Amino acid sequence: MSSHFEPLKGGGAAVALDEVEISILRSLAVQMLELIGPGDEPAQGEDPLAALFADGPSEPPSDPALARLFPEAYADPEAVQENEELRAASAEFRRFTENDLRTRKREDALAVVRSLDSLTVAGDGGAVLELGAEDCLHWLGALNDLRLTIGTRLDVTDEDENDELYRLPDSDPRKPMVMAYLWLGALQETLIETLRP
């Protein structure tokens, strides 16, 4: 997997992907959608404006990957649990912001799935994905969320160096996930580079 984004004239970015890469990216985006969960669409006859102001959850998710995607607002989780004032402020912040954040993350992952589904694979088994400026932003968000999720599952911390990840033996069951994590990081980095003025 050596794909990387390149800038398009007039804005946006393009990346050449083979069938395996398309399949992996689509599968990861679908898994992200499943992890985030379904959207809370207004019920039939419900006022959409009222649904916009509906309260969200006030407690952090128990799944570590979801907790990483929807972190505490004011401090690390241990500090929030030890301080009643911080716990109340964090719960209130989460209640009013998490639903919107979930919606945005869902839209990012859906944009990835839709753009991959629109590709026509050529006879050589590859395709070139061209993204406009708005889709680039959705892809950046989704790539970041995927890396955060996989990094959490791998227990990657800020102090970890990628050298340790590169040295895993092929027999290590984490190896495929590590390879996906590193590949997504390269995709994210090259997409950021293409968007710089």
Side-chain angles (χ1 to χ4, degrees), residues 5 17 22 25-26 28-30 32-33 36 102-119 129-143 145-146 191:
F5 281 96
L17 299 167
I22 293 167
L25 282 168
R26 189 180 189 291
L28 290 172
V30 168
M32 177 62 62
L33 287 166
I36 293 169
R102 278 182 186 271
T103 298
R104 194 195 83 228
K105 290 179 181 301
R106 199 177 297 95
E107 288 169 357
D108 290 345
L110 277 171
V112 169
V113 171
R114 288 179 182 136
S115 59
L116 292 171
D117 285 350
S118 72
L119 288 176
L129 174 67
E130 293 187 0
L131 301 174
E134 186 175 334
D135 280 333
C136 285
L137 296 177
H138 285 300
W139 269 76
L140 274 177
L143 289 170
D145 291 343
L146 289 169
L191 183 53

Side-chain angles (χ1 to χ4, degrees), residues 20 26 41 45 49 51 58 66 76 102-103 128-129 134 146 149 153-155 165 172 176 190 192:
V20 172
R26 189 180 189 291
E41 298 296 323
L49 189 57
S58 58
L66 282 173
D76 66 78
R102 278 182 186 271
T103 298
V128 175
L129 174 67
E134 186 175 334
L146 289 169
T149 301
R153 298 287 191 235
L154 290 169
D155 291 322
L165 296 177
D172 191 307
T190 60
I192 290 169

Side-chain angles (χ1 to χ4, degrees), residues 15-150:
V15 62
L17 299 167
D18 64 32
E19 283 183 278
V20 172
E21 293 168 329
I22 293 167
S23 177
I24 290 169
L25 282 168
R26 189 180 189 291
S27 174
L28 290 172
V30 168
Q31 289 177 54
M32 177 62 62
L33 287 166
E34 292 170 356
L35 179 66
I36 293 169
D40 294 329
E41 298 296 323
Q44 185 78 8
E46 184 181 352
D47 179 7
L49 189 57
L52 253 174
F53 294 103
D55 287 352
S58 58
E59 293 295 320
S62 58
D63 182 316
L66 282 173
R68 183 68 178 99
L69 292 174
F70 306 105
E72 293 290 358
Y74 297 104
D76 66 78
E78 291 84 24
V80 170
Q81 292 307 313
E82 293 170 6
N83 183 312
E84 190 173 324
E85 193 174 298
L86 272 179
R87 192 167 50 247
S90 184
E92 184 172 352
F93 183 83
R94 182 178 298 280
R95 196 167 48 112
F96 291 113
T97 61
E98 188 170 315
N99 285 345
D100 289 339
L101 187 56
R102 278 182 186 271
T103 298
R104 194 195 83 228
K105 290 179 181 301
R106 199 177 297 95
E107 288 169 357
D108 290 345
L110 277 171
V112 169
V113 171
R114 288 179 182 136
S115 59
L116 292 171
D117 285 350
S118 72
L119 288 176
T120 302
V121 177
D124 64 356
V128 175
L129 174 67
E130 293 187 0
L131 301 174
E134 186 175 334
D135 280 333
C136 285
L137 296 177
H138 285 300
W139 269 76
L140 274 177
L143 289 170
N144 186 60
D145 291 343
L146 289 169
R147 287 194 75 239
L148 287 173
T149 301
I150 293 172

Side-chain angles (χ1 to χ4, degrees), residues 3 140 143-144 146-147 150 162 178-192:
S3 302
L140 274 177
L143 289 170
N144 186 60
L146 289 169
R147 287 194 75 239
I150 293 172
N162 284 347
V178 168
M179 297 305 294
Y181 176 79
L182 296 172
W183 177 55
L184 292 170
L187 281 174
Q188 183 180 23
E189 185 177 333
T190 60
L191 183 53
I192 290 169

